[in-house]
């Protein structure tokens, strides 16, 4: 993408000459619908099978009903009602089959989430050093995951295949495809040459990761925001970050991290090949090759230091769209690493007659050092996060500020399980019916640490089962408590025990979402402790658990062998299930959509820590919405309600944050089933905590949020007690809990049982239309103030709908309040 700024779009403060509102007519109103997880077709959102694409492409676009395509030319047709249009973005996360391969990038995605899950920084300090330290630690942990993945590929290709299997006649004899690698197989029979050949596998994997990262950046994240958008006041580091002009365009950091991680992967492959070759040359006493080996190792150390310096150099720049590139780093760093790898491969191919491969490659130390570094990094991250939380306490923050370290621990654990699963599965295949690492196995097998990691899986699953049982018992108790009061919420209905239990069960199940942080914290803590035990057992014993416990008490010996065998089976089964799920998603669009739901939540955030994580769809969707809202309000002078459901409400809020003040005066925000406060506010308090959401409420003209007690995802937005707006506090935003179901039992109005809707069908609730129309009514004053020649007409359909809803509220639904007094633009609550 060119490094030139994008052209300006029409200013929302000065409507163009072709603004369609004639004298005496009310400004046109637009309702922009944004769907949530799992997506929705345009005809479903608009309620009409005849739709037309207004703007966009096959990946993400804005649609209208066919009859509304020329609404701007005939505003008189829409007196008292808005023009509906839908922004559909589901193909950003579940488009073609290649997205199923993103499952392999799951640890990278989780590590990237840890960057954004930091506690909020104190508002009185600009760019605190603690925040920079937090980001630095997460980037280092992310780099360790890349090294771990490539090291696992080296373990399979170099150690298990090229070194162990090819060096054993029994292994190569039963596998004809590997016969050319045997010790007596000819030119490739020497260990160094086998290592050089098989090193192409992890090198190709590194190249594939670089290619995917570069390709997805061009397809998803290379969308610059409109020039002139963003709040000028948001340039301050103490202002909400999501309002900064460069938040959704981090090209410079992603390019620099991509180069560093690519170089780290190539250097890992080079080190895995050079270490055994240089060790042999020093033992053989060959002065020339030994000197070259020392030089190669020195260059590897220098390359590792350079990679670490590039990763640690700086974080994100959000004050403006960062179009600059560190061309020296992104060109010379991976290029130099590739050149060094080629030199190492040539060095390994040098003839060394008589060299035989015995035992295993020195991988125990490498994997142990990685695991120890990750554990220490997570603990250091916890210290920094706790310090931030104490400086700016947030009662809603997950795990009292430790949500980020807990997520980082899960990312490291996923990386360890996936890498260990691949190595263990290949070792089991090569060993036939034997157990890798045991005395009767024909091959030494993978590093003993991987066997210890597999052995701790059964205790971890037992802990998970106990936690799940505890939450189930707690949910059952909550259901019994709620069932006693459900019938009272529907006056005049005879109590029905079964119906009450059904409704109470839905509410209790939805409430379990609020306990998720403690569940994640418990799993992360247990994983850290078990991982430390596995590392200690591997280093002190030097044997797999079954061999280390041989000769001890029979009960201990049986338990160790059972844990090792069960863990090996579980990790192999999990890896195969993972691959099968990915293949099914590649072929089945329905399964691919299910995986897309996972990415809807996990890839909302930019790739600030790991460049190989799945791409951030919000860096395409948020500029799309910002362009649409800014351009439409500036061109027509009309009023707009952006209506977001579930994850769509997060996109809508992020886009509203990016609007310039002139456009924001004409935009209202309607969210429903929204995770803004319940999930994002807890896990990402620095960006969606009470402070930032309260600031958003003060900046947007008006905002309403609908929620249900039966919704496991949506909830209230939890604003601070005072918002600084003219019309009040948090009660001005939330309306709920809405009645769900709308009817308790059968009646003349509801002859069939009403369903429990939970997270779906918010638009079918009468409260949706009432609140949307009230937002449009409150925006009308601002629109008339911007166009002085316009006159207010008689009340339209929006006013009548609001009045009817106020006169006939449904049971269990909070009645709407009268419209607040309309003040000057930008001050309405």
């Amino acid at each position: 993408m060119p490094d030139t700024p994008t052209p300006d779009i029409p200013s929302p403060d000065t409507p163009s000459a072709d603004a369609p509102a004639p004298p005496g007519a009310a400004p046109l109103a637009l309702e922009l619908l944004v769907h949530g997880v799992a997506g929705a077709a345009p005809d479903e959102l608009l309620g009409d099978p005849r739709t037309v694409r207004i703007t966009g492409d096959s990946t993400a676009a804005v649609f209208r009903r066919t009859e509304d395509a020329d609404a701007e030319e005939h505003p008189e047709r829409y007196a008292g009602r808005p023009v509906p249009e839908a922004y559909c973005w589901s193909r950003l996360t579940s488009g073609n089959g290649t997205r199923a391969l993103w499952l392999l990038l799951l640890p990278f995605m989780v590590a990237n989430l840890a960057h954004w899950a930091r506690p909020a920084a104190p508002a009185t300090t600009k760019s605190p050093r603690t925040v920079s330290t937090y980001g630095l630690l997460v980037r280092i942990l992310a780099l360790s995951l890349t090294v771990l993945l490539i090291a696992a590929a080296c373990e399979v290709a170099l150690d298990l295949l090229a070194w162990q299997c090819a060096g054993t006649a029994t292994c190569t004899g039963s596998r004809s495809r590997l016969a050319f690698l045997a010790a007596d197989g000819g030119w490739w029979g020497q260990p160094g040459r086998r290592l050089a050949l098989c090193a192409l596998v992890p090198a190709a994997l590194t190249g594939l990761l670089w290619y995917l990262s570069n390709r997805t950046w061009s397809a998803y994240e290379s969308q610059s925001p409109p020039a002139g958008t963003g709040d000028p006041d948001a340039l301050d580091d103490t202002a909400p970050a999501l309002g900064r002009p460069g938040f959704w365009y981090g090209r410079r950091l992603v390019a620099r991290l991509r180069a560093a991680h690519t170089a780290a992967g190539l250097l890992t492959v080079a080190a895995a090949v050079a270490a055994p070759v240089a060790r042999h040359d020093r033992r053989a006493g060959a002065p020339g090759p030994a000197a070259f080996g020392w030089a190669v190792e020195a260059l590897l150390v220098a390359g590792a230091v350079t990679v670490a310096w590039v990763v640690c150099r700086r974080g994100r720049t959000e004050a403006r769209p960062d179009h600059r590139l560190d061309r020296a780093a992104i060109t010379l760093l991976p290029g130099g690493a590739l050149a060094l790898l080629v030199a190492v491969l040539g060095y390994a191919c040098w003839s060394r007659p008589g060299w035989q491969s015995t035992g295993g490659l020195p991988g125990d130390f490498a994997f142990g050092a990685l695991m120890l570094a990750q554990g220490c990094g997570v603990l250091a991250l916890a210290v920094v996060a706790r310090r931030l939380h104490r400086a700016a306490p947030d009662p809603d923050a997950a795990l009292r500020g430790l949500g980020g370290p807990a997520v980082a621990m899960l990312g490291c654990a996923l990386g360890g399980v996936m890498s260990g699963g691949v190595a263990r599965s290949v070792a089991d295949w090569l060993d036939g019916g034997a157990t890798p690492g045991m005395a009767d196995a024909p091959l030494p097998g993978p590093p003993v640490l991987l066997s210890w990691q597999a052995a701790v899986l059964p205790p971890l699953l037992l802990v998970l089962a106990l936690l799940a049982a505890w939450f189930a018992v707690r949910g059952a108790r909550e259901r019994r408590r709620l069932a006693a009061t459900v019938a009272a919420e529907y006056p005049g209905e005879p109590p029905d025990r079964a119906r009450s239990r059904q409704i109470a069960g839905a509410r209790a199940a939805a409430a379990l979402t609020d306990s998720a942080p403690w569940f994640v914290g418990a799993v992360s803590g247990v994983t850290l402790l078990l991982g430390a035990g596995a590392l200690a057992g591997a280093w002190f014993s030097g044997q797999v658990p079954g061999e280390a416990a041989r000769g001890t008490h029979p009960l201990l010996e049986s338990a160790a062998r059972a844990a090792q065998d069960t863990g090996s089976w579980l990790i192999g089964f999990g890896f195969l299930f993972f691959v099968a799920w990915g293949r099914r998603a590649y072929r089945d669009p329905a399964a691919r959509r299910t995986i897309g739901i996972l990415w809807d939540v996990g890839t909302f955030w930019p790739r600030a820590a790991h460049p190989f994580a799945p791409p951030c769809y919000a860096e395409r969707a948020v500029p799309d919405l910002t362009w649409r809202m800014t351009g439409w309000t500036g061109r027509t002078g009309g009023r707009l309600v952006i209506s977001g459901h579930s994850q769509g409400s997060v996109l809508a809020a992020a886009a509203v944050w990016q609007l310039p003040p002139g456009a924001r005066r004409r935009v209202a925000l309607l969210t429903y089933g929204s995770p803004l406060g319940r999930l994002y506010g807890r896990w990402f308090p620095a960006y969606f905590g009470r402070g930032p959401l309260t600031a958003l409420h003060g900046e947007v003209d008006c905002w309403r949020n609908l929620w249900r007690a039966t919704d496991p995802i949506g909830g209230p937005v939890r604003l601070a007690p005072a918002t600084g707006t003219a019309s009040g506090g948090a009660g001005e935003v939330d309306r709920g809990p809405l009645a769900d179901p709308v009817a308790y039992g059968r009646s003349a109005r509801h002859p069939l049982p009403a369903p429990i809707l939970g997270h779906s069908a918010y638009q079918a609730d009468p409260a949706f239309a009432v609140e949307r129309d009230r937002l449009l009514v409150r925006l009308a004053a601002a629109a008339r103030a911007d166009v002085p020649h316009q006159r207010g007409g008689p009340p339209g359909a929006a006013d009548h709908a609001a009045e009817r809803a106020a006169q006939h509220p449904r049971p269990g639904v909070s009645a709407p309040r009268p419209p607040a007094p309309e003040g000057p633009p930008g001050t309405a609550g």
Side-chain angles (χ1 to χ4, degrees), residues 202-547:
L205 176 60
T206 304
L208 176 63
L209 292 175
W210 173 88
Y211 169 76
L212 290 176
S213 177
N214 188 63
R215 180 174 179 269
T216 53
W217 165 262
S218 301
Y220 291 85
E221 299 158 303
S222 58
Q223 309 294 323
S224 294
T229 60
D231 192 345
D233 296 333
L235 297 178
D236 191 346
D237 288 337
T238 62
L242 289 170
R244 297 171 189 165
F247 186 88
W248 298 108
Y249 192 78
R251 181 188 186 191
R252 185 180 187 184
L253 176 63
V254 174
R256 188 170 65 247
L257 290 179
R258 184 190 305 123
H261 282 243
T262 302
L266 296 175
L267 292 174
T268 301
V269 180
V273 174
V277 177
R279 183 179 57 179
H280 170 268
D281 289 342
R282 286 192 290 268
R283 289 179 178 177
F292 190 82
W294 282 114
V296 165
E297 291 179 344
L299 289 175
L300 288 173
V301 172
V305 172
T306 304
V307 168
W309 179 77
V310 171
V311 171
C312 299
R313 183 182 176 189
R314 68 165 64 91
R316 283 169 54 86
T317 301
E318 298 171 351
R320 63 189 59 84
D322 202 346
H323 296 275
R324 297 173 297 172
L325 291 176
D326 300 321
R327 297 195 179 276
I330 66 176
T331 303
L332 297 180
L333 191 56
L338 180 60
L340 181 57
L341 175 60
V342 172
V344 168
L345 296 183
Y347 166 58
C349 289
W350 191 269
S351 180
R352 295 172 177 85
W355 184 20
Q356 299 293 328
S357 58
T358 58
L361 290 178
D364 287 292
F365 175 78
F367 281 97
L370 271 176
M371 188 173 181
L372 179 62
Q374 288 179 345
C376 293
V378 169
L379 292 177
L381 191 67
V383 172
V384 175
R386 189 62 183 165
R387 182 177 179 182
L388 280 172
H389 181 72
R390 288 180 177 177
D394 186 344
D396 296 328
L399 301 175
R400 299 179 181 176
L402 296 180
V407 172
M409 184 68 247
L410 291 182
C412 294
L414 283 172
V417 169
M418 291 177 62
S419 59
V422 174
R424 293 287 303 182
S425 298
V426 174
D428 284 335
W429 172 63
L430 294 176
D431 268 345
T435 300
M438 298 299 290
D440 57 346
L443 299 179
V448 296
L449 177 59
L450 302 184
S451 296
W452 279 88
Q453 287 180 337
V456 301
L457 278 181
L460 177 60
L461 293 179
L462 178 60
V463 172
L464 291 178
L466 294 176
L467 287 174
W470 183 79
F471 280 110
V473 171
R474 181 180 176 185
R477 292 178 178 175
E478 181 69 9
R479 183 183 65 176
R480 287 195 296 269
R481 185 187 69 82
L482 293 174
T485 61
V486 168
E489 300 177 9
Y490 297 86
E493 297 282 352
D496 184 338
R497 183 177 180 182
R499 182 65 163 170
S500 295
R501 288 176 60 87
Q502 182 187 22
I503 299 173
R507 294 183 183 179
L512 290 177
T513 302
D514 299 327
S515 303
W518 297 110
F519 183 84
V520 173
V523 172
S524 298
V526 173
T527 301
L528 182 62
L529 294 177
L530 292 177
L535 181 60
W539 275 6
F540 285 110
S541 70
Q543 297 175 315
V544 297
E547 287 293 327

Side-chain angles (χ1 to χ4, degrees), residues 9-97:
I9 58 179
S11 170
D13 295 315
T14 56
S16 59
D18 61 348
L28 192 65
L30 182 69
E31 179 185 9
L32 179 56
L33 299 164
V34 187
H35 63 72
V37 295
D43 56 340
E44 296 176 4
L45 286 172
L46 298 174
D48 193 323
R50 299 167 300 171
T51 61
V52 60
R53 185 167 66 190
I54 299 298
T55 182
D57 55 23
S58 59
T59 303
V62 172
F63 294 85
R64 282 187 186 177
R65 299 181 302 181
T66 304
E67 63 188 53
D68 297 330
D70 58 348
E72 286 78 7
E73 299 176 7
H74 304 281
E76 68 280 357
R77 300 177 183 174
Y78 302 93
R81 64 185 179 94
V83 179
E85 67 178 31
Y87 176 68
C88 298
W89 54 274
S90 60
R91 290 183 62 85
L92 286 171
T93 55
S94 59
N96 57 48

Side-chain angles (χ1 to χ4, degrees), residues 4 141 146 170 523 542 622 630 677 749 754 827:
T4 56
L141 286 172
T146 298
T170 304
V523 172
V622 172
T630 308
R749 186 175 182 182
T827 62

